[in-house]
Amino acid sequence: YGEVVSKEFSLDSDAINMCIHIDRLHFVVGTFHAFYHSVRKLSSRGTSRENSNVLKTYRNQGASIATILTFQFQPWSLVLLSSIQHSNQSLNPLLKLEGSAVGNFEGCMCALSGEVKTDMALFFFSPILKDWIFFVEQIFLQILIEVQPSDLALDILIQEQVNLNLSSEIIKRISSECSVWNKILDCKSQSASLSLKRMLDDKCNHRSLRNDSGIDLIISQKEPLRAEVEEILIESGNCTPINFNETFSVDLKLGDKSKILLGNYLPLHDLSILPKDEEINILYYLIPEHSSKQTRRRIPDNMEPVVEYCIQNQRLRSAFNDISALDDGSDLLSSETWSPRSQIFTHDAGHHWLHPYLDDDTAEWSDTSGSFRLMKDEAMLPDNSWVWADEWRIELAGEYEKDSDADGWEYAEDFAKFQDGKRKRRFFRAGDVCRRRKWTRTRLTKAQLSDKIAHRVPLVWRLSFQDSCYNVRITSHITIKNNTNVSRLLCFGYKLPWQRDKILGSLSPEENLAVPIDLASMTHLRLGIEGKCNLFSMSDRIMIVPTSQSYQHRLSLKIYLDTAKERNGVLASKALHFTILLQSKADIIEILIEPVLKVQNLLPCSVEFHLIEAAKQFDCDGKSGIHSLNTDKEFKSEESEIKTGEETCSSVVDPSLNPSIAVRVPGYRWSSYQLIVNRRHAKTSWKPTELVEKHRYQNILSNEKSGSYTSIIRLESQIDNGDPLVILLEVDPGHAPMLRIYAQYWINDQSGFGLRICDGPRDLLGKPLGIMQDRRTYTHGDFLKGNNPISDGHEWAIGKNGMSMFFSQRQRMAVAVDFYKGDTAGKSERKVKSAWSQSIDLSNVISSVFSVNESNSERKYDFSYEVTTGPSIFVRTKIVCIFSRFRVANLSLGTLYLRQEGASNGITFVPPVSEQLALPFHWEDASLPSNINLSTNCVDWTKGSVNIEKVGVTAIKLNSMSATPPVLQVEIRLATLEQKCAVIIIIWNPVELQPIYQLRNLSSHTIVCCQMQDEEHLASRKAKEEDSDEQFDILASVLPSCSAIAQAGNMTDLVTTGLDCNFISNRSSENRSRSIWTLRMDEMKDFGFDYPQKPHILEWNVKGATIKQQGIIEVDSVGSTSTISLSHGVEVACIVKATDSAKVIEFSDTHKGIIESMTERLRSFAPLTMEEAQEDFDHVAVTMKVSIMNTTLSIIENHDEAKAGQEIFLLSIDEFTLRLSQNSDGYHDIELRIMSIQIDNHIPKVAHP
């Protein structure tokens, strides 16, 4: 009873022990997460009035009461149970955290300070030792805490060393729990398991488990609130939906039929069905049950195949140590596969490699070190328990012609280089004289092949999540994929105990086949094609047993479609050829059936190709045979058509018989056959014949870097005098090479002319100096006769609609004009005979202009062109777009006429159109200036002209009395790509859009003004003013003293009609060429110059008053002023203002000087708001200029600490100037000036080093 003066809180415990399963942690995490968000929501809603009074009373009365807070926790522990559990076994503990804590705090509730002393240790449970071991040894912590009303200080002290014990057992156990821990992270934002289930239901629109194992399986999944286990039988090839529950896993066992087929195997537990964003393949093994009733014995798990090997060594003949010593068409490597040599049928012809013949050379057959002699024939089986799984075969592994060639050879300068442990296998280089390759043969134990012994059965659990669909797929460990275009390709499996091959299934193109589990123990694969009368044509068997955990090997496979197998019959027989890629990673085997080559069409039209073997050219005229073809014999070949951007593959040619290809595009005949040179950097190991070298394209620098071989293919037109077409064939080397057919340039002519293009200069007779002929950007007339269907859909091939393909060995082109196609303004088509333009560089991406002069007149045609790189897969091609340089867009109210200044002909009619439908404009006389006159009636032309080669905007006065309005505004701007030109000339009326110049009379007088003609006139006027007291008045000479002047209502009418004063007849020729503008009081007019190309200076005066002087003002200078003093101290001022985008020449009365008046007005202005200041900032004149005499940027590559830094990039700039300015009208100017720039790329083997 009385006031509380102190409080004491104490908490003590003898022991606290907690245990939790790792799968249940998401409950705790979700609960705390939900509680945290609930508290935040309550705090955001505010506090009720009653609670507010309680808190207020506590703050006032209890916050300052002395408080003591103590707690003492005796040893406590938290045990985390493992998620890994086997049948009939209890849960194993995983981690245990133990410790004790003592704390003491003193002060008041709003200001406490104290410390907490605790000791903790983390233990790991070892199932092997069946005991706890230290994970983190005992540590002692001292935590100092100080709480102030608005401050918190926390200090944690660990004064002793922290010992962390890691063992392989601990790492293995914890890594096995990572997948479960990921589930905790995924569900951290959920409050319970049901919430996670709803989340997964929303994420996955469809969830299924598919059985492609070939046997029946039983899936079981525990329901959250049910004791019994639901089992689902999934037959082979069927699917079942998946239900997500708390365990996120299922159990699997064999069905009854599968047990009869395979025997009894232990079930698999806790197979994860948790969704993953990427495909994951997990390999499981079904373990045979150890039962006395089981008749089959179990094979030991550690038995693996044994690989016998032998190294074959060869040395190059001393007479052929360089490619220059070879005959034309010879192959220095003497390859058996993909050899480009000409003579392939003569026995040992061109074989330049012998067995090692020097005294200190290694033996022809040896081990890897080269120290011991080995022979293939001497390899024998250890005893009768072993069998050979295959014959001797060459090991083909690694990247094609990087690690070895197509025949498996690796190369070196000497045999001793092969013994370097740090050396990697590599392909041939100039100077190599030694090579070797590895032969292998695999043997297996009969116990491994026996079906009477129980084996582990591999099973792959494939998890994937794609397009909001989550799937689990169960397969065997062997899959086969058909990457060829052969349909219904049959697959057969074989194992020694089997009496015959067993069919695995058939494959369509791009289809996968999972080998049934009951047949997955096969050791060999065989391919077949179904023929007539249900007879099969089958290949030889190939072994597919992996010899290591990470295994990759290539094999060649052939299926004969007839029975001829002797030498002459092989050349004539029909066969399919495949490349088999065997890949094994972690005992999961993938077999890819690849074609022998692929063809990709990168032309803008369809292409047909024809493949043949060298057998077709055998028995010809004895020459190289690349051009020749014996049509009397019909050998194996293939003909196919590919659309733009598509690719196909072929398996009908033998890579060992020098395949060749011929192509054809619509409108053209078949090309000659081109040899497929599938060799990286072929020029270092092969000497082509003169004919093959003639068709070789060597200017593509990217191919020099990649090592691909490019040939020139010339096509002749189907019509007489048609343009030939040249395209390119690039061979991307590989075991299955990619043949890309593309054009060097696509020409897109949008100039409105029919153009002719050549690749360079001409001789005196007008013929091209190069071997290539012209190409047209228009269709030859014979293609359009009789509704020729070839012209539809193949515009690029025949030059229709301005689309054409072009080739230039020098990467240049010249252009001539053949005819004008006419336009929408009424101009008809006409023939043109022009000279050739200058040579245009097409090697780089660029935008520029060129001109073509007409041969029989002074006409000049200006064109612009843009060279860009083709998109996506068409990057090898450059696209050249040709436009007219100038186009005119009439946005005014009526029709307009344009002509070149000084030219009497060549009038261009421009109807009102949009900017996208602008009409081209060209010069009538190349010797005249690049200026244009305008007219609305083709009779009265503007006095001045506009220079359309200078970018800018101006206003011009029309010379027609009937023109309404009398002013046109002309803007010369750089065009966009959609406007199909380099410069666009936009003409509009100031009535419709914002005017550029305006005259505004706010004075009480009538103002007359006109444009001053030139600067010389202004200089002479100033000189006369200085020499004479008399005032020079140009308007006085124009306006004689006459009563009609004061009576005239419109000064323009007075000037043009003469009226009472015979005005026109009295004017000089100088004044007759100018227009006089008259402004009455409070009148505003749109203004235009008579001569936009002359200085924009305005002369003005007051009408009807005694003229003492006249004003001159510069129109383009915003803020410039001019004043005329009248009688009685009255002054008329003229000032140039900026209103929006218009310049307003304003006249006003003033009784003070203009400076005093403007100063008074400025002083009278109120302070600006932020919005007004921001708005006025757009009209502030600002100029910034940055000048740098020299700048150098160097990039050094030093990521490899073992090597010194290497400069890979250097940029040098001289006299760099950047000028940024904004005038008071709000217009911005950017000027960038660079005297010289140099960029050096120091990376070797690049396009431009």
Side-chain angles (χ1 to χ4, degrees), residues 366-397:
S366 68
D367 63 345
T368 306
S369 66
S371 303
F372 300 98
R373 180 180 175 275
L374 295 178
M375 293 297 295
K376 294 192 301 180
D377 299 337
E378 296 177 359
M380 301 179 63
L381 296 174
D383 51 49
N384 292 333
S385 63
W386 293 84
V387 293
W388 290 113
D390 62 347
E391 299 296 330
W392 286 100
R393 64 185 184 183
I394 300 171
E395 184 179 76
L396 286 177

Side-chain angles (χ1 to χ4, degrees), residues 204-223:
C204 306
N205 297 330
H206 178 69
R207 305 170 300 277
S208 65
L209 188 149
R210 181 176 180 84
N211 179 16
D212 288 333
S213 63
I215 59 176
D216 297 342
L217 300 174
I218 296 177
I219 300 296
S220 59
Q221 186 178 21
K222 295 180 181 180
E223 294 296 331

Side-chain angles (χ1 to χ4, degrees), residues 1061-1117:
C1061 295
N1062 194 17
F1063 182 67
I1064 293 181
S1065 60
N1066 292 336
R1067 287 187 301 166
S1068 63
S1069 60
E1070 175 187 346
N1071 297 327
R1072 190 179 300 118
S1073 61
R1074 293 187 293 172
S1075 299
I1076 307 300
W1077 297 81
T1078 303
L1079 290 173
R1080 298 184 182 89
M1081 186 173 55
D1082 295 330
E1083 186 177 8
M1084 178 182 289
K1085 290 184 179 180
D1086 297 326
F1087 176 74
F1089 297 101
D1090 291 322
Y1091 303 94
Q1093 73 276 21
K1094 293 184 178 182
H1096 292 181
I1097 298 176
L1098 190 69
E1099 295 179 288
W1100 64 280
N1101 209 331
V1102 178
K1103 176 184 175 182
T1106 302
I1107 301 176
K1108 295 182 178 181
Q1109 63 183 27
Q1110 65 182 17
I1112 297 176
I1113 191 167
E1114 187 176 350
V1115 176
D1116 288 334
S1117 179

Side-chain angles (χ1 to χ4, degrees), residues 626-627 661 663 671-675 691-700 709-715 725-730 742 744 771-772 807-810:
I626 299 300
H627 261 315
I661 185 173
V663 299
S671 70
S672 60
Y673 285 94
Q674 302 292 326
L675 181 66
L691 184 60
V692 173
E693 184 67 19
K694 182 180 178 181
H695 290 81
R696 181 181 179 186
Y697 180 53
Q698 307 181 42
N699 288 346
I700 298 184
Y709 186 90
T710 305
S711 303
I712 298 173
I713 299 179
R714 185 181 178 88
L715 302 172
L725 177 63
V726 177
I727 57 178
L728 299 174
L729 171 67
E730 177 187 305
Y742 68 99
Q744 186 184 17
I771 62 172
M772 305 307 165
F807 172 81
S808 172
Q809 184 81 32
R810 303 185 306 116

